[in-house]
Amino acid sequence: MEKTLVLVKPDAVRKNVAGKIISRFEDEGFKVVALKKVKLSKEEAGRFYMVHKDRPFYDELCEFMSSGPIVAMVLEGENAISRVRQIMGATDPSKAEEGTLRKLYGSNIGENAVHGSDSPESAAYEIPFFFSGLELVG
Ligand code: CDP
Ligand code: MG
């Protein structure tokens, strides 16, 4: 069993589809082992996305990710990291496959509805960024 961090981004929370996104992951067989709604400061968003600090979109990304509440969760399942990424779809919603969350709910390459850890190393940074061990309830 593998764990991954998923965020419902501010655009999707504003569209009131956080529940639909959580429900989709439940339907796909994942167990929700932690869940909360939080609002990041721009500085916190910057720390979360530190890996992108030299990219041209970093400042805009941090502004966006701190523009409203997000829903953070830890999902558990077989090959959770890659399966979640598949269900999310491509970073750019216009290039995402039909039926993926970004195709369904994303607006553009920045405001793309959902985040999922991209590797075990990312998950190991991202899960404790939001949750303590005590908050993971298998
Ligand atoms: O989220 P994902 O792993 O698919 O993409 P990423 O390359 O790790 O980029 C992280 C996030 O930065 C994306 O989900 C977008 O919100 C944003 N981004 C952007 O605004 N413009 C880009 N050209 C690429 C990414
Ligand atoms: Mg990424």
Side-chain angles (χ1 to χ4, degrees):
M1 284 295 173
E2 190 172 59
K3 290 185 179 68
T4 188
L5 183 89
V6 170
L7 301 177
V8 179
K9 294 186 177 185
D11 59 322
V13 173
R14 279 192 283 272
K15 285 181 185 166
N16 246 4
V17 295
K20 286 198 168 75
I21 291 171
I22 297 165
S23 191
R24 171 68 177 276
F25 286 120
E26 288 183 332
D27 290 345
E28 299 275 0
F30 294 98
K31 185 191 276 190
V32 179
V33 297
L35 179 69
K36 66 181 162 192
K37 187 174 187 179
V38 286
K39 188 172 182 299
L40 298 178
S41 66
K42 189 173 174 183
E43 184 271 333
E44 288 163 338
R47 275 198 291 120
F48 182 77
Y49 277 118
M50 193 53 80
V51 63
H52 292 314
K53 68 175 165 29
D54 297 324
R55 308 287 283 281
F57 56 82
Y58 180 67
D59 187 67
E60 195 185 355
L61 174 61
C62 297
E63 278 291 343
F64 165 59
M65 288 302 291
S66 58
S67 69
I70 62 176
V71 175
M73 72 197 91
V74 177
L75 301 181
E76 185 178 76
E78 301 272 356
N79 302 314
I81 293 170
S82 66
R83 280 176 55 224
V84 162
R85 298 279 302 182
Q86 217 147 28
I87 293 162
M88 281 168 39
T91 307
D92 183 347
S94 71
K95 296 182 179 137
E97 276 184 51
E98 284 307 320
T100 60
L101 292 171
R102 283 169 163 171
K103 184 71 164 192
L104 286 166
Y105 304 121
S107 302
N108 56 62
I109 194 167
E111 305 202 354
N112 56 9
V114 61
H115 166 88
S117 306
D118 67 3
S119 64
E121 295 70 34
S122 302
Y125 175 73
E126 293 176 356
I127 291 171
F129 189 94
F130 283 97
F131 298 100
S132 75
L134 283 173
E135 292 176 301
L136 304 180
V137 183

